[in-house]
Amino acid sequence: MVKPWQDTTLPAHVRAADLLARMTDEEKTAQLTSVWIGAEPDGSGAGDVAPGQHTYAARSAALDALLPYGLGHLTRPFGTVPVEPAEGAARLAALQRTIRAGNRFGLPALAHEECLTGFTAWQATVFPTPLAWGATFDPALVTEMAQAIGASMRAVGIHQGLAPVLDVVRDPRWGRTEESIGEDPYLVGTIGTAYVRGLEAAGIVATLKHFAAYSASRAARNHAPASLGPRELADVILPPFEMAVRDGGARSVMPAYNDIDGLPAHAHAVLLTQLLRDTWQFTGTVVSDYYGVSLLEEAHRIADGESGAASLALAAGVDVELPAARCFSTTRTLPEDLLDRAALRVLTQKCELGLLDPDWEPVTGDAPVDLNPAHTRELARKVAEESVVLLANSGALPLSDGLRIAVVGPLAHEQAAMLGCYTFPRHVGVHHPELPTGVEVPTLAEALRAEFPTAAFVADPADADLCLAVVGDRSGLFGRGSSGEGCDTEDLELPYNQSEVLNRALASGTPTGIVVLSGRPYALGRWADRAAAVVQAFFPGQEGGAAVAGVLSGRVEPTGRLPLGVPRTPGGQPAPYLAPPLGRHGFPSTVDPTPLYPFGHGLSYTTFAWETPHCESPELATDGETSIRLTVRNTGDRPGTEVVQLYLHDPVGTVARPEVRLVGYARVPLEAGASAEVHATFPADLAAYTGADGRRVVEPGALELRIAASSAHAHHTVPLTLTGPVREVGHERRMRCEMRVK
């Protein structure tokens, strides 16, 4: 007889509750645990891909000890060591059979993996890093990319992906800037939500991280305390997570390593329960960041022992301990009500994934598995091309073939310049130098030779018609690179003494273009006025070399826009564009934080005219909306894409407000001479902010909408007046300005 928990006609939560009632406390606890096979490094920490891995791995429960009770998660079966895709699927299937056979209910584990720049597995397509996603200003393309990534994961038996990162960049000295989408919550929210939709559409559980304020750490130091007030938290940090939960349908959330005003996120009940579940109505699972529960005891020192850390995390709302069972142990007693609450959430999610179905079988790996097929390579190419930003151009670009070109700078000849820290080659592959990369990653120098087959490449800039000076980052983990997790920096000076590369190139007298391949912006003010052109690409992935070369040649029209500003000088940080008036340059200070190139900036090889916009109604109620339309025309002789950006300026607020903030955007592709009409529907809800009393309100009064090419370059200003009473808004407020191109 089929038991209720096996009955696929019943709702998932009903089936999960029936199964929970049949379990012992040890079996319930096992569902909150994970096992990371092959995670034991050499003990020195040199091969760690998680903080404290060499310490904690040896002190975690082994699979054999958990088998009689079951297992919640399997950690990174593909992303720990290189494995052929079909072989990895077969190994995972065999492991799942062992897990099922070991527990009396025959339950498999939920397998999770990293997928920040594509599936983090050997031979899988390497996509551009999230900063590049932000630079595309193209949510539809990001959704398509994420769906392809999810499909590749599902094809080998993975159920959950630990992405996207929704941390809004507050200080780009932070090493994990490359993993973030940008410095604006609207851009991060819309692009991040697009990624969630694609991953979830492929049947993969998307995991939002890092919740919350991880990027707001003091001095941009990884794991450092976050010093921010409740309004910055509410209006800058939290909206992308809220949007991804509500509009994206994300089914998992990962707390951050940091504390906020002394309270670590893994023990923050206000965040993980009151806000996330009670207010936002999130029904998925909260999974710890790797060893995040252990850190409550050993780093934050708010727990006395592993049992205390487990109780704090469970009480706050953490459901699963990743990456291995240490604090959530079947050998110790956990509070029964909290144990049942977490186990029910885990079982419900497993039921939704089909893991409780009587006919569930693991992916066997019998058929050939291609994790780098033509269509994902094409998507990687398209994302890379759309993400390249032309920052400056004196007319030197696009380049013609047949020139004498000098390419200088060591990063021009390194694959590392294309790859973020969560790509498999830089994350795991660097510890296996005996193996090939797994996918083809042409360097920029190689891509340039392919792009310009008749050009004469010379070594000395003085002998060239044009010099390309290539600078930027090598990604890595925990100090093994200049960008990446645990690779924070004291200032935004180019690393590896690359300033000398630029000095020598410019001193040659040959027109010099600067190409930056990096995981964060760097200060370029000393050279920008002397450069013939400046191009920025943020770790553009395996197809990035060809994308950058294509922009340099003009084969690819530059359409990327900056997801965060490029500084003029190395110091004066942090300087996000969302600063209120006192955060901008002014007479009380000699430090000028004004960026060299602002958020949203990017040039084209053609020109555009923006006609005077029409506003349907410049007066609207505090619960109303208005619509605006604008005609954009390509006035040049070649096709191009303009990115129309809509910013809100609030002249007077009850608390200090950003001078402008992004509330909408649209990509407008146009053939030479063509025009299109951009329609924007602006709801008054987007004028809401958190006031002095902690309530999010829409206030009556004057506003301005600035229709702009960047945060610092408005083409038109549309005055608005909000009428009616002050209105408090909550979780159901409208968070988007819908923009259509006709």
Side-chain angles (χ1 to χ4, degrees):
M1 179 180 176
V2 174
K3 297 178 177 62
W5 68 269
Q6 298 171 309
D7 187 348
T8 58
T9 66
L10 295 176
H13 70 278
V14 173
R15 295 172 61 189
D18 177 75
L19 178 56
L20 182 72
R22 301 170 187 269
M23 286 180 155
T24 65
D25 284 354
E26 291 81 4
E27 289 168 331
K28 296 174 186 176
T29 302
Q31 292 301 310
L32 316 186
T33 66
S34 52
V35 166
W36 193 359
I37 297 174
E40 298 78 11
D42 60 11
S44 68
D48 284 9
V49 295
Q53 178 184 341
H54 61 287
T55 299
Y56 295 126
R59 294 154 54 186
S60 301
L63 177 61
D64 289 348
L66 291 167
L67 279 179
Y69 308 109
L71 183 65
H73 273 242
L74 274 171
T75 294
R76 303 195 65 181
F78 285 83
T80 301
V81 295
V83 60
E84 291 277 356
E87 180 185 352
R91 286 185 189 178
L92 177 56
L95 186 56
Q96 289 282 33
R97 294 188 189 100
T98 299
I99 293 168
R100 293 183 76 188
N103 69 88
R104 65 191 179 110
F105 297 105
L107 304 180
L110 191 156
H112 74 259
E113 272 291 355
E114 299 285 358
C115 57
L116 193 67
T117 53
F119 181 15
T120 307
W122 193 44
Q123 300 183 7
T125 301
V126 179
F127 286 87
T129 204
L131 266 188
W133 312 350
T136 70
F137 278 69
D138 192 343
L141 178 60
V142 171
T143 294
E144 190 178 1
M145 173 191 73
Q147 192 160 1
I149 293 170
S152 69
M153 298 169 75
R154 192 171 178 86
V156 293
I158 301 300
H159 309 105
Q160 181 167 352
L162 304 187
V165 170
L166 298 183
D167 298 304
V168 178
V169 175
R170 304 301 284 160
D171 186 336
R173 295 177 299 171
W174 188 46
R176 304 192 80 165
T177 294
E178 65 167 79
E179 300 178 46
S180 308
I181 293 167
E183 67 174 323
D184 178 87
Y186 188 85
L187 181 67
V188 174
T190 50
I191 295 292
T193 297
Y195 183 91
V196 169
R197 284 174 170 166
L199 205 62
E200 292 281 356
I204 298 294
V205 175
T207 308
L208 311 181
K209 57 186 191 181
H210 306 89
F211 193 63
Y214 192 27
S215 57
S217 62
R218 293 176 186 168
R221 293 176 58 248
N222 199 35
H223 290 212
S227 299
L228 74 169
R231 279 170 292 283
E232 183 180 354
L233 181 67
D235 291 347
V236 177
I237 301 297
L238 294 177
F241 292 93
E242 183 177 8
M243 188 181 290
V245 166
R246 192 188 72 178
D247 299 343
R251 288 184 284 173
S252 190
V253 170
M254 176 180 283
Y257 285 127
N258 61 279
D259 72 61
I260 303 174
D261 195 23
L263 189 56
H266 281 78
H268 208 307
V270 172
L271 278 179
L272 302 183
T273 296
Q274 293 180 29
L275 180 68
L276 181 63
R277 294 195 183 275
D278 298 344
T279 300
W280 294 355
Q281 298 296 296
F282 174 72
T283 59
T285 57
V286 173
V287 300
S288 81
D289 207 340
Y290 283 14
Y291 305 115
V293 179
S294 291
L295 292 175
L296 295 177
E297 172 200 0
E298 301 201 3
H300 296 288
R301 299 183 185 175
I302 66 167
D304 184 10
E306 297 166 1
S307 180
S311 294
L312 281 175
L314 273 174
V318 175
D319 302 314
V320 179
E321 182 183 17
L322 299 182
R326 184 170 177 269
C327 299
F328 290 12
S329 171
T330 56
T331 63
R332 62 174 58 97
T333 301
L334 298 174
E336 187 172 6
D337 58 332
L338 300 179
L339 174 60
D340 284 357
R341 183 179 72 175
L344 181 61
R345 292 167 180 167
V346 172
L347 292 173
T348 300
Q349 190 157 90
K350 284 191 172 185
C351 188
E352 292 169 349
L353 291 166
L355 301 182
L356 304 190
D357 294 356
D359 60 351
W360 182 86
E361 290 293 336
V363 175
T364 61
D366 293 339
V369 178
D370 186 356
L371 297 181
N372 189 33
H375 75 277
T376 62
R377 297 197 303 272
E378 174 64 18
L379 274 173
R381 179 197 60 78
K382 190 172 183 182
V383 177
E385 290 179 350
E386 288 194 8
S387 71
V388 178
V389 187
L390 179 62
L391 296 178
N393 186 19
S394 65
L397 300 182
L399 299 176
S400 57
D401 205 355
L403 295 173
R404 292 172 300 164
I405 302 174
V407 181
V408 299
L411 291 180
H413 307 279
E414 295 186 23
Q415 292 180 333
M418 300 296 162
L419 307 174
C421 74
Y422 269 79
T423 61
F424 192 87
R426 301 299 296 171
H427 198 73
V428 177
V430 289
H431 306 299
H432 299 271
E434 74 283 1
L435 290 177
T437 304
V439 295
E440 290 187 19
V441 185
T443 67
L444 182 56
E446 291 168 340
L448 288 169
R449 290 183 181 276
E451 189 74 27
F452 300 101
T454 67
F457 287 90
V458 298
D460 190 342
D463 297 332
D465 299 312
L466 181 110
C467 176
L468 292 175
V470 183
V471 295
D473 281 317
R474 297 182 183 99
S475 66
L477 295 175
F478 310 120
R480 301 192 290 270
S482 57
S483 172
E485 184 174 357
C487 297
D488 312 317
T489 185
E490 294 179 353
D491 59 36
L492 296 178
E493 185 74 62
L494 281 165
Y496 310 123
N497 200 30
Q498 291 176 97
S499 59
E500 289 305 309
V501 172
L502 297 183
N503 289 337
R504 287 194 298 269
L506 290 164
S508 71
T510 298
T512 298
I514 300 173
V515 179
V516 186
L517 306 171
S518 65
R520 62 162 66 86
Y522 285 101
L524 301 177
R526 279 176 287 168
W527 307 286
D529 291 343
R530 294 183 287 153
V534 184
V535 173
Q536 171 74 61
F538 296 106
F539 288 144
Q542 71 180 57
E543 302 296 325
V548 173
V551 167
L552 294 173
S553 74
R555 174 178 56 82
V556 175
E557 294 295 325
T559 65
R561 300 295 184 266
L562 283 176
L564 73 179
V566 172
R568 185 176 298 275
T569 61
Q573 302 302 316
Y577 95 94
L578 289 172
L582 286 184
R584 293 172 174 253
H585 180 52
F587 74 90
S589 173
T590 57
V591 176
D592 184 358
T594 305
L596 176 65
Y597 304 113
F599 172 86
H601 172 74
L603 303 179
S604 176
Y605 289 149
T606 187
T607 56
F608 300 95
W610 299 39
E611 297 181 4
T612 302
H614 171 77
C615 180
E616 180 185 51
S617 174
E619 186 173 291
L620 63 157
T622 53
D623 63 351
E625 67 177 30
T626 191
S627 59
I628 298 159
R629 66 177 186 269
L630 165 80
T631 297
V632 178
R633 187 178 305 278
N634 182 345
T635 55
D637 58 2
R638 58 189 298 154
T641 296
E642 183 67 295
V643 179
V644 174
Q645 302 163 43
L646 192 65
Y647 292 87
L648 180 67
H649 170 67
D650 190 346
V652 180
T654 57
V655 298
R657 306 286 298 126
E659 183 70 13
V660 293
R661 58 186 176 92
L662 186 71
V663 293
Y665 59 87
R667 288 175 59 91
V668 187
L670 293 170
E671 295 295 324
S675 64
E677 199 169 63
V678 180
H679 291 247
T681 302
F682 174 79
D685 284 6
L686 284 178
Y689 65 91
T690 304
D693 60 0
R695 298 184 306 142
R696 181 177 276 114
V697 295
V698 181
E699 298 173 329
L703 294 175
E704 288 180 3
L705 287 178
R706 297 179 180 177
I707 305 174
S710 76
S711 59
H713 181 199
H715 284 281
H716 299 288
T717 297
V718 177
L720 298 177
T721 302
L722 296 182
T723 62
V726 174
R727 185 170 67 92
E728 183 173 359
V729 297
H731 179 54
E732 299 304 318
R733 72 191 184 283
R734 295 167 68 180
M735 299 183 71
R736 293 173 179 265
C737 177
E738 298 299 330
M739 298 185 69
R740 304 174 306 281
V741 179
K742 297 183 178 180

